[in-house]
Amino acid sequence: MEPWDKLNALHLDALKEIGNIGAGNAATALASMLGSRIQMTVPRAGVLPLKEITALVGNEEDPVACVEFTVGGPAPSKIFFLLDASSAYLLIDLLLGKPAGTTSELDEMGRSVLTELGNILTGTFLNAFADFCRLEFKPSVPAFAFDMLGAVLSSAFLEGGYFSDRALVIETMFYSEVITISGHFFLVPENAALETILLSLGLQIE
């Protein structure tokens, strides 16, 4: 039996709390970058098949921006920050000081802005995660993709060789009073890394 099949409510609550802290730090960083208050939905944690992960974000054909990191250290993982296309364009406008609605397609400047945004937000997420677990995470240089949601997730989860059909998901969304930012974090530890993370919290997988 794989570790995924042995997770109980206590394990998932601990992972959810990590997601809550990490996403909260990311929301604070985003608010600082945008100069406005940003709130977030309560993170959800669970083991989901790929099709359900896709449904969390949208439809398979929806275009999305994805910033992906490979994380080294004692708990090797992957972490993704996904934005739907409208949120990506809106953030480009806000961060470049342009009127909302100016950007309607992705150019090199837009790719650079989103990559740096993902780098900062994911960095704050991982730092909070590392502090909570007392583990060291070493993120790679970020990789950026803008493609259909189904293609992005299939590449990330399947071609990456992590899991055949399931992943651990820590998912949240950001919003403010005047804008909605559909952004999602996905933390995908390797099987052994999942056990390492839970053991760092004093939890064993029986």
Side-chain angles (χ1 to χ4, degrees):
M1 185 180 291
E2 292 186 356
W4 307 103
D5 300 314
K6 303 176 184 178
L7 295 182
N8 58 34
L10 187 62
H11 296 138
L12 292 177
D13 283 346
L15 294 169
K16 182 177 178 180
E17 180 61 21
I18 293 172
N20 193 28
I21 294 170
N25 280 25
T28 300
L30 182 60
S32 177
M33 294 173 71
L34 296 178
S36 62
R37 186 182 179 190
I38 297 292
Q39 297 176 292
M40 65 177 190
T41 57
V42 177
R44 294 184 289 178
V47 178
L48 295 176
L50 180 59
K51 289 184 178 179
E52 290 186 30
I53 294 171
T54 302
L56 277 178
V57 184
N59 299 312
E60 288 191 3
E61 296 78 19
D62 293 342
V64 295
C66 175
V67 182
E68 173 188 337
F69 298 80
T70 299
V71 181
S77 309
K78 286 198 173 191
I79 187 168
F80 309 89
F81 180 59
L82 260 65
L83 290 164
D84 64 23
S86 60
S87 296
Y89 297 150
L90 175 60
L91 282 170
I92 291 170
D93 289 338
L94 293 173
L95 292 169
L96 293 180
K98 298 179 179 180
T102 301
T103 300
S104 59
E105 60 182 26
L106 201 62
D107 57 15
E108 282 304 311
M109 176 60 75
R111 293 173 68 92
S112 177
V113 166
L114 293 177
T115 302
E116 182 58 21
L117 172 71
N119 196 15
I120 292 171
L121 297 187
T122 305
T124 61
F125 187 102
L126 278 176
N127 286 339
F129 198 119
D131 290 343
F132 193 84
C133 296
R134 299 180 298 280
L135 294 172
E136 183 181 6
F137 294 102
K138 301 176 181 178
S140 65
V141 174
F144 181 84
F146 189 81
D147 202 343
M148 291 188 298
L149 174 61
V152 167
L153 290 180
S154 293
S155 174
F157 291 125
L158 302 183
E159 293 176 19
Y162 272 59
F163 316 107
S164 59
D165 61 354
R166 291 179 298 174
L168 169 68
V169 177
I170 296 174
E171 177 261 341
T172 190
M173 293 178 64
F174 303 106
Y175 62 96
S176 74
E177 292 181 357
V178 294
I179 60 173
T180 298
I181 301 162
S182 181
H184 300 74
F185 281 107
F186 298 97
L187 179 70
V188 190
E190 294 180 359
N191 281 349
L194 177 62
E195 295 187 74
T196 299
I197 290 168
L198 290 172
L199 283 173
S200 75
L201 303 175
L203 299 172
Q204 291 187 333
I205 299 179
E206 299 296 337

